[in-house]
Amino acid sequence: MSEVRSTCPYCGVGCGVLLKADGQGGLDVRGDPDHPANYGRLCSKGSALGETVGLGERLLHPQIGGAQSDWGTALDLVAGKFGQAIARHGPDCVAFYVSGQLLNEDYYIANKLMKGFMGSANIDTNSRLCMASTVAGHKRAFGTDTVPGTYEDLEEADLIVLVGSNLAWCHPVLYQRVLAARKERGTRIVVIDPRRTASCDMAELHLPLEAGSDVALFNGLLAQIEARGVTDAAFLGNVDGAEEAFAAARQSSLEPTGLDPALVRQFYDLWLGTEKVVTVFSQGVNQSSSGSDKVNAILNCHLATGRIGKPGLGPLSVTGQPNAMGGREVGGLANMLACHLDIENAEHRTAVRDFWSAPTIPTQPGLKAVDMFNAVGAGKIKALWIIHTNPAVSMPDASAVQAAIAGCDFVVVSDITAQTDTARLADVVLPASAWAEKSGTVTNSDRTISRQRTVLATPGAARADWDILCAVGRRMGWHDAFDFETPAEIFREYAALSGVAAQFGRDFDISGFSDLDDAGFDALEPTRWPVSAARRGGRFFADGAFYHANGKAKMLPLTHRPPESRRAPRFPFVLNTGRLRDQWHTMTRTALSPRLSAHLAEPFLEIHPLDAENHGIKPNDLVSVRSPQGEGILRARITDAVTRGQVFAPMHWTGETAPSARIDTLVAAVTDPVSGQPESKASVVAVSPFKARWYGFAVSAQPLNPQAEYWARARTKSGWRMEMAGLKEVTDWEAEARALFGLPDAEVQSLVDVNRGSARIAFFEEGRIIAALFIAPEPVAVVRDYLAQLPGEEQADVLTGRPPVGRPDPGPTLCACFDVGVNTIVNAVETEGLISVDAVGSALRAGTNCGSCRPEIATILERLRHREAAE
Ligand code: SF4
């Protein structure tokens, strides 16, 4: 089979991939050298895509009440329940909660079904949790949700400011493009983030500002723009509100940032003295109760200086999900119509209704995500359809959301697996196609529309999302409106609707695709919108033409507002949440890859050394974390990457992988008043040591059945590894281990010291290790990465917990692409005298594929240099 050109289904960079089925259900994956987002590069997640397409946990048939069913029965039930609910309680008693994992064609049909035919605007996407503040900020400044610039700007800039963006881990291929440009032209990098992240390693400046104080920092910059005469007077002729914005900025104080004034001055000097500046912003800006204001504070500075829409300069929001941008374009948000048309605008509503020949169109925005689940909890939503997302884990105050879904009259979940915290609560679970089986389009962060193409056959009875939605629409009586047979037909209709939007002067216009035939759709090259007779691709706004009614942009007068949750003696820490380099969302895919799980195999809480000391927390302790919403248990990582009073935890772990680490159970359901986006990075918590009676580490060839207050599991090449800790007194550890592994009769070796509270137990089958458990009264000291390799091996001395003499321990995986461990790198640096990241790459290949681990290799080199200097 030849290679198929498609798009990576993870982040908003939207990298092109070349996929080849290996004939055994797997995929060979490489970067597409011709895709303009990545030019052949892939990050660790993209490189490991082939490991995530197995059918082990796939849902292959519809399920009703947990029992296998068939499509006819399931679709009749879904259509009937939604129809009955609408008939009895009106259209606003139903809701869809969808996802940036959907393709544009899926999104288009979901939006058409809910807004045009069911008659409610209650469709919101999990992009609400990701980009809604940017949408609101763009609309307030530009009159529409337009990303002005392109990825090429990163290569033409002289200064790149990363605000609330750990680009090195969350958009690694863009970071690699930045580093390549830096090598060529000496691009300077500034990172504005409360936490020192991997993105700081190559930065000239890191400003560790107080959480939520970005408006104060950028107001200060705006005041300096005015004071030092860096304004672009001609460009300001196209901008309303400048005087009011400058006046507010003059009144603003830097105090809330908590930053050293000298550091701030350096940043301002760099920004003001550099024409070609790109400000990249992401979740640290958006996920805030003042997220929309933060976005506008950044846009104010670019508008005041006219630094927008030209090569190498401008604001650039980077989206989290593969098709978050597509969701914004196609009307996946409850407050938008398709093609950037406005739900509040009667002419827009009429145009969309007429275009669809729809019976109705809602006159009011629908419920945004947090409000939607509040309405579910209050019993106002009688039928809820959740598509490719896991709100029981990912929504703020996740336990309350979990309870709300559990209590809803009728819940449908469409997904590729039924093994999620949300799917377990559904009345009906529908098997959907996975990304490698789908065909359609996605839009990335710089407006490039790319094809996702089918490379694997859809297994079992699974179906494409647009097809499932159309089938329900037809069963509800709207046969003609949902009579689509291919995604190409849907794309043409979508493109034609954008032509209608263009007649209202909207920016989103892909009408040039409205007569694209099926062959053209198949062959569609990555294309940046707009695509119309008048215009194709390019940047927006350099000409000063904006989309407010008078054609101008708007600067906003802004005032710093602190996060809603405030530190108090009971909750003295601010909890920041975020993403890891090798994991994606709630790990439903990335956790299937052993090498992605090897980088950071356990959830953790970063805490400053002095805070840890003051709270009696030692390295590797387990920590109890409590917020007004809930509590959890995490492993302590003591580091000065976080400032005092701040803690950080990743957001990926679920009830399936580490039930006590569902971090969104701790996050307050506070939202930005304009965008409705939750404040996911500034909840308040208390921390204290979690004193377990025993601690354990287990490896096994088969899945385990843990019964403990704390456990966290990850896949390995040979099975599973698991951390555990419990409060229960255990008197017979062998019996406990047999129950944990489900091995009632296996051959066993054990060393148990009842008095000390320690046990080491290994099980064998035909002389090969199949499972081992290590128990101690304190965090277990064994060589985990070595033990994780053992299931399936003959290894008589497993109970020592460490490798025999002569067998090297590679340590935790640092380079996921070539499976190179930390110890291997340290050893090579020390014995071979390697002094640079490139030298490590030449010796070990580490960091030479996707480059995601290069900042960490640099950190190791730095640490060893410091150690040498101190010796
Ligand atoms: Fe996929 Fe990585 Fe590219 Fe994002 S940066 S699209 S995760 S390969």
Side-chain angles (χ1 to χ4, degrees):
M1 185 180 182
S2 57
E3 284 183 316
V4 173
R5 292 183 79 193
S6 192
T7 313
C8 174
Y10 289 127
C11 83
V13 179
C15 295
V17 287
L18 295 174
L19 307 173
K20 191 171 176 184
D22 65 10
Q24 293 158 1
L27 278 180
D28 294 328
V29 182
R30 68 185 178 102
D32 181 349
D34 299 320
H35 196 288
N38 58 317
Y39 296 108
R41 297 176 178 95
L42 290 179
C43 77
S44 51
K45 293 185 285 287
S47 302
L49 274 168
E51 294 173 25
T52 66
V53 295
L55 299 184
E57 294 185 356
R58 275 300 288 275
L59 175 66
L60 299 176
H61 300 276
Q63 290 182 355
I64 297 175
Q68 183 172 321
S69 183
D70 59 82
W71 275 112
T73 311
L75 292 171
D76 282 346
L77 181 63
V78 173
K81 287 282 188 182
F82 271 78
Q84 286 159 19
I86 292 167
R88 276 189 206 144
H89 305 282
D92 286 334
C93 80
V94 298
F96 291 172
Y97 186 60
V98 299
S99 159
Q101 299 290 319
L102 291 181
L103 308 188
N104 288 323
E105 295 70 21
D106 305 322
Y107 253 137
Y108 180 83
I109 294 296
N111 185 49
K112 180 176 180 181
L113 178 58
M114 177 54 76
K115 290 191 182 132
F117 291 82
M118 290 189 178
S120 171
N122 285 344
I123 171 170
D124 212 33
T125 161
N126 60 5
S127 300
R128 178 74 58 194
L129 279 51
C130 164
M131 295 310 302
S133 295
T134 290
V135 175
H138 281 168
K139 287 186 75 176
R140 293 197 301 186
F142 308 145
T144 187
D145 175 24
T146 312
V147 173
T150 70
Y151 291 163
E152 288 80 53
D153 294 328
L154 296 171
E155 277 137 357
E156 299 184 45
D158 294 317
L159 172 64
I160 293 175
V161 183
L162 303 178
V163 195
S165 161
N166 182 7
L167 206 71
W169 276 19
C170 300
H171 300 90
V173 164
L174 288 188
Y175 189 66
Q176 292 307 319
R177 288 181 67 163
V178 168
L179 293 191
R182 177 186 166 88
K183 216 170 181 176
E184 288 215 342
R185 61 186 289 138
T187 316
R188 287 157 302 173
I189 301 170
V190 174
V191 177
I192 297 170
D193 195 313
R195 192 167 64 105
R196 192 178 72 242
T197 66
S199 301
C200 298
D201 288 340
M202 304 299 276
E204 270 66 31
L205 285 180
H206 169 215
L207 278 67
L209 78 179
E210 273 288 321
S213 63
D214 311 53
V215 168
L217 182 67
F218 281 90
N219 261 354
L221 177 59
L222 187 63
Q224 288 296 309
I225 287 170
E226 187 194 30
R228 299 201 213 170
V230 190
T231 51
D232 181 333
F235 195 82
L236 280 173
N238 307 311
V239 180
D240 284 336
E243 274 317 310
E244 294 84 345
F246 286 129
R250 272 181 247 127
Q251 299 300 315
S252 193
S253 160
L254 282 175
E255 204 202 331
T257 66
L259 290 168
D260 176 351
L263 198 59
V264 174
R265 205 171 317 115
Q266 279 187 63
F267 165 52
Y268 288 172
D269 288 346
L270 263 178
W271 208 99
L272 295 167
T274 312
E275 172 73 10
K276 289 193 164 187
V277 54
V278 174
T279 308
V280 177
F281 56 98
S282 190
Q283 319 303 21
V285 168
N286 292 316
Q287 292 179 333
S288 163
S289 59
S290 58
S292 305
D293 284 355
K294 289 179 180 182
V295 172
N296 285 105
I298 293 167
L299 301 183
N300 276 352
C301 295
H302 281 275
L303 288 171
T305 51
R307 292 178 185 175
I308 191 163
K310 298 176 206 144
L313 48 84
L316 179 67
S317 70
V318 282
T319 56
Q321 293 204 73
N323 201 27
M325 185 67 84
R328 288 152 62 171
E329 292 155 6
V330 81
L333 293 165
N335 51 323
M336 310 265 291
L337 290 174
C339 306
H340 287 181
L341 292 167
D342 290 321
I343 208 162
E344 289 95 345
N345 184 312
E347 289 183 349
H348 291 186
R349 291 197 302 270
T350 304
V352 175
R353 192 196 62 202
D354 292 351
F355 180 85
W356 282 339
S357 301
T360 180
I361 199 95
T363 56
Q364 298 291 327
L367 296 168
K368 296 169 184 159
V370 169
D371 295 334
M372 181 184 286
F373 285 101
N374 284 340
V376 172
K380 293 178 184 161
I381 300 296
K382 308 293 182 188
L384 173 67
W385 193 344
I386 299 166
I387 305 180
H388 287 295
T389 184
N390 199 359
V393 178
S394 55
M395 286 291 293
D397 203 358
S399 292
V401 169
Q402 192 172 35
I405 297 169
C408 185
D409 287 358
F410 183 68
V411 177
V412 186
V413 167
S414 300
D415 213 324
I416 62 169
T417 172
Q419 312 295 314
T420 73
D421 295 37
T422 301
R424 291 185 193 287
L425 305 172
D427 298 284
V428 178
V429 190
L430 301 175
S433 308
W435 70 274
E437 299 142 20
K438 296 176 92 159
S439 174
T441 58
V442 290
T443 316
N444 73 2
S445 297
D446 82 342
R447 294 181 275 113
T448 299
I449 298 172
S450 300
R451 287 278 280 114
Q452 262 195 13
R453 294 185 173 89
T454 302
V455 62
L456 294 176
T458 304
R463 289 166 69 166
D465 291 290
W466 63 265
D467 183 33
I468 300 170
L469 287 154
C470 281
V472 169
R474 290 194 297 269
R475 273 171 165 76
M476 293 182 76
W478 303 303
H479 197 277
D480 291 346
F482 296 97
D483 186 21
F484 294 100
E485 301 215 330
T486 65
E489 283 178 52
I490 300 168
F491 185 71
R492 283 192 285 273
E493 182 176 303
Y494 175 38
L497 179 56
S498 79
V500 174
Q503 290 166 18
F504 291 98
R506 297 286 85 186
D507 59 334
F508 180 77
D509 184 354
I510 57 168
S511 57
F513 289 139
S514 56
D515 54 4
L516 194 71
D517 61 15
D518 289 358
F521 184 72
D522 278 345
L524 185 64
E525 290 288 327
T527 309
R528 187 176 292 134
W529 63 259
V531 181
S532 68
R535 190 167 179 181
R536 195 176 177 99
R539 298 174 175 85
F540 280 88
F541 306 144
D543 56 0
F546 292 90
Y547 290 90
H548 284 296
N550 63 0
K552 292 187 175 185
K554 269 196 188 124
M555 287 170 61
L556 269 67
L558 300 167
T559 310
H560 162 74
R561 280 184 289 118
E564 290 272 321
S565 304
R566 307 286 163 83
R567 287 189 185 102
R570 277 187 66 210
F571 299 107
F573 290 95
V574 171
L575 171 68
N576 183 2
T577 68
R579 286 146 188 79
L580 299 182
R581 190 191 80 186
D582 288 357
Q583 294 298 347
W584 176 253
H585 278 200
T586 58
M587 295 170 135
T588 46
R589 275 196 303 247
T590 45
L592 301 175
S593 161
R595 64 176 154 141
L596 293 182
S597 301
H599 178 229
L600 290 164
E602 189 184 15
F604 58 84
L605 185 83
E606 288 186 349
I607 183 167
H608 190 275
L610 293 175
D611 288 332
E613 192 181 327
N614 288 344
H615 288 76
I617 296 165
K618 299 188 296 306
N620 296 323
D621 271 358
L622 286 173
V623 187
S624 171
V625 192
R626 294 175 310 287
S627 82
Q629 287 69 44
E631 57 185 273
I633 304 169
L634 300 162
R635 185 75 63 184
R637 274 170 66 123
I638 299 173
T639 168
D640 64 1
V642 290
T643 52
R644 293 201 65 190
Q646 184 205 155
V647 290
F648 169 84
M651 43 69 82
H652 304 291
W653 275 268
T654 70
E656 297 286 314
T657 47
S660 74
R662 294 169 59 228
I663 210 67
D664 280 303
T665 61
L666 303 173
V667 172
V670 168
T671 57
D672 177 286
V674 183
S675 69
Q677 178 152 0
E679 182 155 67
S680 302
K681 291 178 175 287
S683 295
V684 291
V685 296
V687 300
S688 59
F690 174 77
K691 295 288 182 198
R693 186 184 283 266
W694 54 265
Y695 299 82
F697 177 72
V699 295
S700 169
Q702 298 297 325
L704 307 91
N705 312 301
Q707 300 289 329
E709 278 70 19
Y710 173 78
W711 60 263
R713 68 179 172 191
R715 275 178 204 268
T716 65
K717 284 189 191 136
S718 53
W720 298 85
R721 61 188 282 174
M722 181 182 285
E723 300 284 348
M724 303 161 65
L727 297 171
K728 181 181 82 167
E729 184 174 1
V730 178
T731 52
D732 184 345
W733 273 111
E734 184 179 322
E736 195 74 15
R738 288 189 182 281
L740 171 70
F741 298 125
L743 296 172
D745 305 316
E747 182 193 335
V748 67
Q749 277 182 15
S750 65
L751 279 173
V752 178
D753 183 336
V754 178
N755 291 333
R756 223 194 129 253
S758 68
R760 296 182 170 215
I761 301 166
F763 295 99
F764 297 81
E765 192 174 79
E766 296 176 355
R768 295 183 185 278
I769 296 163
I770 49 175
L773 174 66
F774 298 80
I775 297 291
E778 63 282 323
V780 182
V782 290
V783 180
R784 286 164 165 73
D785 300 287
Y786 158 71
L787 291 172
Q789 304 167 7
L790 292 192
E793 281 194 25
E794 290 176 16
Q795 182 58 260
D797 52 359
V798 57
L799 297 186
T800 63
R802 34 193 81 253
V805 176
R807 176 165 172 163
D809 164 27
T813 299
L814 194 82
C815 171
C817 297
F818 296 116
D819 206 5
V820 185
V822 171
N823 294 351
T824 307
I825 293 172
V826 169
N827 188 43
V829 170
E830 288 180 336
T831 57
E832 297 176 37
L834 309 176
I835 55 165
S836 69
V837 176
D838 287 339
V840 171
S842 300
L844 302 171
R845 299 174 77 199
T848 59
N849 183 35
C850 74
S852 305
C853 62
R854 291 175 69 88
E856 288 160 277
I857 297 173
T859 304
I860 289 176
L861 288 165
E862 191 66 15
R863 203 180 63 221
L864 294 176
R865 264 197 293 275
H866 280 143
R867 201 181 68 190
E868 251 176 44
E871 280 171 358

